[in-house]
Amino acid sequence: MNKLLLIILIHICIQFNLDAQYFITPQLLLSRAQTAPEINSKAAVLIDAVTGALLYSKNPDEEIPPASLTKLMTMHLLFKEIEEGGASYDEIIPVTIESWAQSQPPRSSLMFLAPGQIVTLREIMLGLAISSGNDAAVAAALRLSPSMEAFAQLMTNEARAMGLKVTRFVEASGVSEFNMTTAEEYAWFCRQYIKLHPQSMKEFHSVQEFSYPKEHNVAPAYRNNPRTIQQFNFNSLLRTFPGVDGLKTGYIDESGYNIALTAVRDFTRFILITLGAESTRRREADGNLLLAWAFENFKTVYPVIGEIRKERLWKGLEDEIELFLEGEIEFTSPIDRGNNLNYEIIIPQVLIAPLPEKHEAGFLIISDEYGELKQMPLLTARSYERGNFFKRLWHSIVLFFRKLN
């Protein structure tokens, strides 16, 4: 790439806010990315969940409290504990005075935990995902840590382990304005969350209704009238936008209306984070607008590449070298491209031993009828040692005369 083209691309990225730290917009998608609609939210990031390609961003680095999006980190830590064998969905969670609904701040969203209830961890997680219960978040935190302060530190430590530099937490529900994130960091977190817990969409985040408490949750004296409260998922796009199956909404005065959205159609999944909308209506409109635009303009392509052929090795103990592709082969394409794929292997230089493992020997170009779509490096599968003196001498002679031709 010449310097002029590089300068032009950098200028385009800055002009259209496509320079987020955690994600990049492939050159193939730049022209389509420039057609994104305007939205109301203060900050937003839209990515392809599979490839991580950045499709849209607005103020991606602005620090904004996540509000109840915080509960996704709480759920992530619960999933981890379950997967590591330290907890189970069916275990009974203590309902302490700290987790009672009546102990939560005014205007809290609630699961309606109360003294004497019998509640499982699965129900707590449904209360987090659907009812967005602050009481459920407290119960979850105290299941995993001795105090809210200790759990908040665990959350922040986990954020650092996942590569988040700004995101931090002081409590588990999102009620505090001192919890903090950015749109790009939360998109990064959600991409990892979906990869680590793919079952969470079906089992929790796409569930539209949660009724609690039921007969089995209350003491025997109250089972004839458990005072069950039916609540619906705050993510209204589950009901109005085909393909949406998660993840979480949030609101506090200091942040505005936030949402972490994901939607899948025809093997293409997008993740959209919007922070700081003025109202629920604006938040839903932004989600509708950006997801519709994404599905109209982009798709994930899954190439099928056959066995990579062996290449000639000169002056080595062996005469052939095995190569492999580095990185994910999937890529994001404009919606009208990537249907008829072909690929070409390019080995630009003669391969001469010795060669170390993972030496970049060449690259594979994936194309369609309109041109190149993706280029991937081809690396040596292992190290290759030099052959004996006579073999090296003979190959030197052969290579010398090949250059003359």
Side-chain angles (χ1 to χ4, degrees):
M1 182 182 297
N2 62 47
K3 289 184 179 180
L4 178 59
L5 179 57
L6 182 59
I7 292 170
I8 292 171
L9 288 178
I10 291 172
H11 175 73
I12 291 173
C13 287
I14 294 172
Q15 175 110 12
F16 291 93
N17 294 317
L18 300 177
D19 57 340
Q21 179 180 357
Y22 290 81
F23 308 101
I24 63 168
T25 305
Q27 183 180 351
L28 176 68
L29 308 179
L30 282 174
S31 61
R32 292 294 180 97
Q34 296 167 29
T35 69
E38 293 185 5
I39 62 169
N40 169 264
S41 297
K42 291 179 183 176
V45 163
L46 172 64
I47 63 167
D48 183 320
V50 172
T51 69
L54 178 65
L55 308 176
Y56 175 85
S57 71
K58 176 184 178 182
N59 300 324
D61 301 318
E62 183 170 346
E63 295 188 22
I64 297 173
S68 282
L69 302 194
T70 298
K71 294 182 175 82
L72 285 179
M73 178 59 84
T74 302
M75 290 193 68
H76 166 65
L77 291 172
L78 289 171
F79 280 127
K80 278 190 68 176
E81 190 73 11
I82 292 167
E83 290 157 8
E84 292 169 3
S88 72
Y89 289 118
D90 297 324
E91 71 172 273
I92 303 302
I93 301 301
V95 181
T96 63
I97 187 170
E98 297 94 340
S99 63
W100 294 350
Q102 65 193 45
S103 300
Q104 307 313 308
R107 298 163 58 201
S108 284
S109 53
L110 299 168
M111 176 182 175
F112 293 101
L113 294 175
Q117 290 179 352
I118 300 170
V119 59
T120 66
L121 181 55
R122 183 184 296 276
E123 288 171 319
I124 290 290
M125 295 176 75
L126 287 167
L128 284 166
I130 303 167
S131 308
S132 195
N134 291 351
D135 47 356
V138 174
L142 297 182
R143 165 59 182 84
L144 297 183
S145 294
S147 68
M148 183 60 75
E149 292 75 19
F151 186 71
Q153 188 59 56
L154 182 65
M155 297 171 77
T156 299
N157 291 345
E158 182 68 8
R160 297 294 169 271
M162 298 176 82
L164 309 180
K165 299 175 182 177
V166 170
T167 301
R168 55 193 182 272
F169 302 97
V170 299
E171 51 82 35
S173 69
V175 70
S176 173
E177 71 271 26
F178 297 110
N179 292 333
M180 199 60 62
T181 194
T182 69
E184 65 172 347
E185 286 205 354
Y186 225 75
W188 181 266
F189 165 70
C190 287
R191 187 181 182 217
Q192 295 181 73
Y193 181 90
I194 290 171
K195 284 184 176 181
L196 291 168
H197 318 299
Q199 79 286 0
S200 67
M201 266 77 71
K202 181 178 180 180
E203 295 181 6
F204 296 98
H205 299 300
S206 66
V207 179
Q208 297 196 30
E209 179 270 336
F210 180 58
S211 297
Y212 184 88
K214 295 184 178 179
E215 291 181 9
H216 66 272
N217 298 118
V218 298
Y222 300 100
R223 286 178 184 167
N224 289 333
N225 183 20
R227 297 184 178 182
T228 302
I229 298 171
Q230 183 185 37
Q231 296 189 75
F232 294 93
N233 200 310
F234 286 97
N235 183 0
S236 64
L237 273 74
L238 290 169
R239 298 177 283 277
T240 61
F241 193 99
V244 168
D245 56 359
L247 284 162
K248 190 74 189 70
T249 63
Y251 169 81
I252 57 173
D253 292 343
E254 293 82 0
S255 71
Y257 292 85
N258 304 336
I259 196 165
L261 278 171
T262 185
V264 60
R265 295 180 186 174
D266 298 327
F267 305 103
T268 294
R269 177 179 289 280
F270 297 119
I271 294 170
L272 170 62
I273 310 298
T274 66
L275 305 176
E278 295 174 354
S279 65
T280 54
R281 185 179 65 82
R282 293 279 192 174
R283 178 176 69 188
E284 292 162 9
D286 286 351
N288 255 308
L289 202 61
L290 281 173
L291 284 179
W293 169 78
F295 281 112
E296 288 168 2
N297 285 276
F298 306 100
K299 65 182 179 183
T300 311
V301 178
Y302 300 83
V304 178
I305 304 297
E307 184 178 355
I308 303 297
R309 69 172 188 259
K310 294 181 179 180
E311 296 294 331
R312 181 74 164 92
L313 178 64
W314 297 90
K315 303 184 183 182
L317 282 174
E318 304 168 60
D319 293 327
E320 291 183 323
I321 188 169
E322 293 183 15
L323 303 175
F324 73 97
L325 290 170
E326 172 91 315
E328 300 292 335
I329 196 168
E330 298 84 6
F331 63 93
T332 309
S333 167
I335 194 71
D336 55 354
R337 293 194 58 184
N339 296 317
N340 301 304
L341 298 179
N342 54 75
Y343 66 91
E344 179 183 11
I345 291 175
I346 305 294
I347 308 295
Q349 296 180 337
V350 174
L351 298 176
I352 299 176
L355 290 175
E357 182 180 0
K358 292 192 174 182
H359 171 76
E360 187 170 319
F363 47 92
L364 180 141
I365 297 176
I366 302 172
S367 305
D368 64 6
E369 61 268 36
Y370 302 106
E372 181 178 323
L373 292 165
K374 183 172 183 176
Q375 187 176 124
M376 299 184 65
L378 283 165
L379 307 183
T380 53
R382 53 187 174 83
S383 60
Y384 290 86
E385 298 179 8
R386 294 194 303 174
N388 60 41
F389 170 78
F390 296 104
K391 188 172 188 179
R392 299 200 310 271
L393 176 62
W394 172 243
H395 282 188
S396 295
I397 295 170
V398 173
L399 291 172
F400 174 77
F401 282 103
R402 284 183 58 174
K403 286 182 181 178
L404 294 180
N405 292 331

